[in-house]
Amino acid sequence: PEGVALVELDGVLTPGLIASHSYEGLGAERADMTRHALPEADVAHAFKPSHEDFEASLAAGVTSIVLAPAPQILLPGTTAVVKAAGDTIVRRPAQLEVVFSSSALGWNRFPTSHSGAMEELDRLFAEPEGQVARATSGNLPVMLVCGDRADIPRALSFAGRYRLRGALYGATG
């Protein structure tokens, strides 16, 4: 159209890629194993935009990143969408992370089994508060973290029971 700048380029132009679950630049702050549920934890607090990880992402074509807490407890907190260049936080919180994989289980800490984990998640979501209430009301998407295909039915059943919207992440095979 008339008045629009024309930019000519020798080569190929592609949109930036999005990393959908990353710990880039978070260091040790990506996990807190002192409790089994930290739904109010905000991973954006650990965002270090000058970290060298982001340079490597940009070089690979990744321009946006979903920073996520490590899935080592049932509710490790909320994710944040950030730009790999600069210090821009695009969305905070972006999702509530809910972990169905065995990585949230411990031999020496609660919960120790999938049935114990599901019972505790049911307790937390039956009378929701804070970010959990936002998720159950449809105002905050969830990231349902699965480790293998056995976790998928549990995650989908749970999401259906509480009318959660979001996506499965990490189920291999």
Side-chain angles (χ1 to χ4, degrees):
E2 194 173 313
V4 174
L6 173 65
V7 178
E8 294 189 31
L9 171 71
D10 286 334
V12 177
L13 178 66
T14 63
L17 301 172
I18 300 170
S20 63
H21 190 277
S22 178
Y23 312 122
E24 293 189 42
L26 297 178
E29 292 187 60
R30 69 179 186 219
D32 181 345
M33 303 210 6
T34 60
R35 287 159 276 192
H36 64 277
L38 294 165
E40 304 308 312
D42 181 357
V43 78
H45 288 296
F47 176 43
K48 296 174 182 64
S50 61
H51 196 280
E52 63 191 29
D53 287 350
F54 296 111
E55 291 175 30
S57 290
L58 283 170
V62 175
T63 59
S64 298
I65 298 169
V66 179
L67 294 179
Q72 296 174 326
I73 61 174
L74 295 176
L75 292 173
T78 58
T79 66
V81 179
V82 301
K83 287 299 194 182
D87 62 353
T88 304
I89 297 175
V90 177
R91 176 166 282 180
R92 166 194 198 180
Q95 303 151 310
L96 176 64
E97 189 166 300
V98 184
V99 182
F100 295 89
S101 73
S102 59
S103 65
L105 306 177
W107 65 270
N108 62 350
R109 63 175 169 80
F110 178 79
T112 58
S113 67
H114 286 296
S115 59
M118 294 308 298
E119 186 175 315
E120 180 63 7
L121 285 172
D122 279 330
R123 186 187 72 75
L124 293 166
F125 278 75
E127 296 182 22
E129 297 177 357
Q131 300 295 20
V132 174
R134 289 190 62 214
T136 58
S137 68
N139 293 318
L140 181 64
V142 294
M143 178 183 290
L144 306 165
V145 179
C146 299
D148 58 39
R149 79 176 85 190
D151 299 331
I152 296 171
R154 258 191 318 277
L156 293 177
S157 174
F158 185 82
R161 203 162 46 250
Y162 294 100
R163 297 189 172 129
L164 304 174
R165 62 183 186 85
L168 291 174
Y169 174 80
T172 57

